[in-house]
Amino acid sequence: MIMAETFDVVVIGSGPGGYVAAIRAAQLGLKTACIEKEPNLGGTCLNVGCIPSKSLLQSSELYSQILHHSKEHGIHASAKLDFSQMMSRKDQVVAGFNQGIQGLFKKNKITHIKGKATFISPTSVTVSTQEITAKNFIIATGSEPTPLPFLPFDEKKVLSSTGALALKKIPQKMVVVGAGIIGVELGSVYSRLGTEVTFIEFLDRVCPTLDESLSNGLQQALTKQGMTFHLSTKVTSAEITPSGVTLTTEKSDKTTVQFSADIALVSIGRRPYTEGLGLDKAGLETDKRGFLPIDANFRTKQPHIYAIGDIVDGPMLAHKASEEGYVVSEIIAGHTPHIEYIAIPSVVYTHPEVGAVGLTEAEAKAMNLSIKTGQFPLKANSRARCSGEDEGFVKMIADQKTGTLLGVHILSAHAGELIAEATLAIEKRVTAFELGNLCHAHPTLSEALKEAALSISKKAIHM
């Protein structure tokens, strides 16, 4: 065993939570190391998640726009698809960010340790033959796709999201088990490229964590694009053959239906990844769902061991992990930062996109809050009509008495950008009256937020 090296902070995992935590700790003057078991920094988000999927979503949307919408702009164009080049571009984008994080580690004098960390005591881990000790540990090991018990991933015919981002050819038919955010995004990619995409969802609507109006609107939009949805349907068994996959399902009325496809993408959720960490040696254990329990300051049972991101309770979002990474390093350095969890937005990068922040209408009612709502259609927005992207709406939920905004839900082109204004409004307890009286540039999509806010008090101008 190589002699132990001691650090102020050791971060285990270099995903969006881990690498941000490491950089902030180093900025605060703490001697910092980051341990990563994969060849590249950046974790799932950068290497096999957010970044490659958004690259493919952008490329496939461009292809779809040329094929289906260029003529209405007076542009008569044809498009030839080079799938290998599309995948190569995706890989180049990822590689660029890999190099960027490496550069940031070097700039901030962070020690990058390659290998798998395993606790041997509450104050030490081993990586291969090296022992590392630290005054503080931040566990940021993220999550992994959850398989079906009878349908394990082989990344050939039964794909996780990782396998769906690395296909060598476009399948003719794809069945997607799970119509959550990851499922509908990856299903959209291949649908645009010509794949016949069918979704099987156990619950009664797509992306069920969203406000019901967004779920319904998104499903309608994706159905118009050619995707098929079978809701309230459970996969009961599967058969893998040389030609593909056949899934047997049971609907809510107990009828049985079979679905056959070239490949199956299983996207039923993700689970915390703590395999091989040696948590017992650190005096830690997970809860029944596999999460590490923490207090309000991200401390585990061991006060010098912190946990953030997908391995703690809460939505599995890259930007949530990043915020927690930043904040936990501030806490270790003696500061008192705070995260307003109700103001963490969620985005679905389909077309149209979904952006949501704050409470859904169902959540507000479950809390016995007296609310009022307003909604504005994108068809009445000038910029949306000019760009030919007028599908969707903006919905706002406000407190009945004070008018304080409680939730904002957007289905529109570029909703992922528009939601930032709404996030600030939720964070700062802005009222619908205040947002409705804020001057927005014309013509912009953001005017739809102004009109939705005004519509709460029946003052919208363009509807």
Side-chain angles (χ1 to χ4, degrees):
M1 184 75 66
I2 298 173
M3 184 178 296
E5 185 173 2
T6 301
F7 295 87
D8 295 320
V9 176
V10 167
V11 183
I12 304 175
S14 70
Y19 87 75
V20 169
I23 290 172
R24 186 58 186 147
Q27 288 175 341
L28 291 164
L30 301 171
K31 183 182 179 183
T32 304
C34 184
I35 304 170
E36 175 55 59
K37 66 180 179 62
E38 298 296 336
N40 296 314
L41 297 169
T44 293
C45 176
L46 172 52
N47 294 288
V48 290
C50 316
I51 302 306
S53 65
K54 275 55 184 181
S55 297
L56 291 181
L57 280 159
Q58 178 62 34
S59 296
S60 62
E61 176 60 19
L62 179 59
Y63 177 66
S64 178
Q65 288 289 334
I66 294 171
L67 283 183
H68 304 297
H69 302 289
S70 59
K71 288 182 181 179
E72 65 192 62
H73 291 274
I75 302 169
H76 296 271
S78 59
K80 181 181 178 181
L81 180 62
D82 185 341
F83 186 59
S84 63
Q85 173 58 31
M86 185 178 290
M87 300 298 272
S88 177
R89 176 187 177 275
K90 175 260 297 180
D91 293 339
Q92 290 170 11
V93 171
V94 170
F97 281 113
N98 286 145
Q99 294 171 7
I101 297 177
Q102 290 173 22
L104 289 170
F105 272 27
K106 185 176 180 181
K107 173 185 174 183
N108 289 284
K109 298 180 174 58
I110 297 165
T111 301
H112 174 199
I113 301 171
K114 299 179 181 180
K116 188 174 181 62
T118 302
F119 281 99
I120 56 173
S121 76
T123 56
S124 300
V125 297
T126 57
V127 180
S128 186
T129 59
Q130 183 179 6
E131 182 178 343
I132 297 118
T133 64
K135 297 176 183 176
N136 300 280
F137 286 94
I138 301 172
I139 304 175
T141 48
S143 61
E144 62 180 354
T146 303
L148 284 167
F150 52 83
L151 198 59
F153 300 122
D154 62 13
E155 306 302 5
K156 295 177 181 178
K157 288 188 171 62
V158 182
L159 309 179
S160 68
S161 56
T162 301
L165 293 168
L167 289 177
K168 300 300 182 184
K169 64 178 183 179
I170 301 167
Q172 289 186 333
K173 290 185 177 182
M174 173 187 286
V175 60
V176 184
V177 183
I181 292 175
I182 296 173
V184 297
E185 287 184 351
L186 291 174
S188 292
V189 168
Y190 288 101
S191 175
R192 295 167 187 170
L193 301 181
T195 302
E196 181 184 316
V197 178
T198 301
F199 290 90
I200 300 171
E201 170 56 50
F202 178 73
L203 298 176
D204 61 356
R205 57 191 177 97
V206 307
C207 299
T209 58
L210 298 175
D211 189 87
E212 188 171 356
S213 63
L214 288 186
S215 292
N216 294 337
L218 178 61
Q219 183 183 341
Q220 291 170 12
L222 297 181
T223 299
K224 285 199 297 183
Q225 293 169 28
M227 288 166 258
T228 304
F229 294 86
H230 296 270
L231 307 178
S232 301
T233 303
K234 177 175 66 174
V235 179
T236 56
S237 64
E239 181 184 4
I240 301 173
T241 67
S243 61
V245 180
T246 297
L247 302 181
T248 300
T249 68
E250 182 180 273
K251 293 186 172 291
S252 55
D253 61 3
K254 303 302 181 181
T255 58
T256 299
V257 182
Q258 287 191 326
F259 298 90
S260 296
D262 303 333
I263 58 174
L265 167 60
V266 178
S267 184
I268 59 172
R270 298 180 65 85
R271 60 189 182 188
Y273 183 84
T274 55
E275 182 182 344
L277 266 177
L279 292 177
D280 57 329
K281 300 293 185 182
L284 300 176
E285 58 184 0
T286 61
D287 65 16
K288 292 180 180 179
R289 296 179 299 154
F291 294 103
L292 271 174
I294 54 171
D295 67 12
N297 289 314
F298 306 100
R299 291 184 174 92
T300 64
K301 282 200 308 183
Q302 300 284 4
H304 67 289
I305 302 179
Y306 301 77
I308 61 170
D310 288 2
I311 60 163
V312 301
D313 200 9
M316 290 183 172
L317 297 169
H319 46 282
K320 167 188 173 283
S322 293
E323 288 301 307
E324 291 177 342
Y326 190 98
V327 164
V328 76
S329 290
E330 293 260 329
I331 290 171
I332 290 170
H335 303 298
T336 55
H338 173 69
I339 297 177
E340 193 69 67
Y341 278 96
I342 197 172
I344 292 180
S346 178
V347 178
V348 186
Y349 294 90
T350 47
H351 188 83
E353 292 180 354
V354 168
V357 65
L359 299 176
T360 66
E361 186 170 349
E363 288 170 340
K365 289 178 178 177
M367 296 168 66
N368 294 318
L369 298 175
S370 297
I371 61 171
K372 49 187 177 180
T373 64
Q375 190 163 308
F376 185 78
L378 266 293
K379 288 189 181 298
N381 176 269
S382 301
R383 181 64 184 272
R385 294 291 292 274
C386 290
S387 62
E389 297 176 314
D390 59 359
E391 190 170 23
F393 57 88
V394 176
K395 175 181 177 179
M396 292 194 178
I397 302 166
D399 182 88
Q400 178 74 40
K401 294 181 179 179
T402 66
T404 302
L405 287 171
L406 302 174
V408 180
H409 307 277
I410 307 172
L411 176 68
S412 80
H414 314 294
E417 307 298 331
L418 295 174
I419 201 64
E421 176 183 328
T423 299
L424 181 62
I426 297 291
E427 172 87 29
K428 298 302 181 183
R429 306 292 196 273
V430 170
T431 66
F433 174 82
E434 291 169 327
L435 184 56
N437 281 278
L438 179 68
C439 182
H440 289 70
H442 177 76
T444 60
L445 293 176
S446 66
E447 288 177 287
L449 276 79
K450 175 184 177 74
E451 293 273 15
L454 289 172
S455 74
I456 289 177
S457 55
K458 313 300 182 186
K459 295 179 181 178
I461 300 298
H462 296 97
M463 64 176 287

